[in-house]
Amino acid sequence: QVQLVESGGGLVQSGGSLRLSCAASGILFNLYSMNWYRQAPGKQRELVARILSSGRTNYTDSVKGRFTISRVNAKNTVYLQMNNLKPEDTAVYYCNADNFVVRPYWGQGTQVTVSS
């Protein structure tokens, strides 16, 4: 059984920081690209950050310089460090695991709310 469990969301003031965690089980974690998506009310789900098995990372333009994705393979965990948060970062953040061959897996999401 595959599970992705997010944690670390919450309410923070503009300019503050949060670190999201996603713990994976039931997959060969080292073989997966790990991704963070987010979805705000009334908007499409968007890819925020990606980290490949190699450690290479990519970010959507709106978070570059503010967010950092990392992974600790020994813990089957991916993180998203979010600094200088803005109200427009408010969304449900979802962890995603994708090996580009079979279906990707999704976590349940964690709410991030940034007050102005």
Side-chain angles (χ1 to χ4, degrees):
Q1 185 177 11
V2 176
Q3 287 188 303
L4 303 177
V5 180
E6 301 101 332
S7 62
L11 175 64
V12 66
Q13 294 182 26
S14 181
S17 298
L18 288 172
R19 189 179 75 156
L20 306 183
S21 299
C22 172
S25 60
I27 63 171
L28 296 174
F29 185 82
N30 294 4
L31 302 181
Y32 279 76
S33 172
M34 299 301 299
N35 312 285
W36 287 98
Y37 287 78
R38 68 186 180 188
Q39 188 166 27
K43 295 185 177 180
Q44 298 292 314
R45 187 171 298 188
E46 67 169 339
L47 177 63
V48 177
R50 174 177 62 200
I51 183 165
L52 303 179
S53 297
S54 65
R56 181 171 295 179
T57 60
N58 286 283
Y59 302 90
T60 192
D61 286 344
S62 64
V63 309
K64 287 180 180 176
R66 300 189 297 121
F67 290 12
T68 303
I69 189 170
S70 61
R71 65 194 294 161
V72 179
N73 289 345
K75 296 183 178 180
N76 284 9
T77 300
V78 62
Y79 303 94
L80 186 68
Q81 179 67 47
M82 305 185 294
N83 297 327
N84 192 24
L85 283 160
K86 304 175 180 180
E88 50 263 43
D89 296 317
T90 295
V92 178
Y93 284 71
Y94 297 92
C95 181
N96 166 276
D98 195 345
N99 70 4
F100 305 107
V101 178
V102 297
R103 63 172 289 262
Y105 298 99
W106 293 88
Q108 289 296 115
T110 185
Q111 177 70 47
V112 171
T113 303
V114 184
S115 62
S116 61

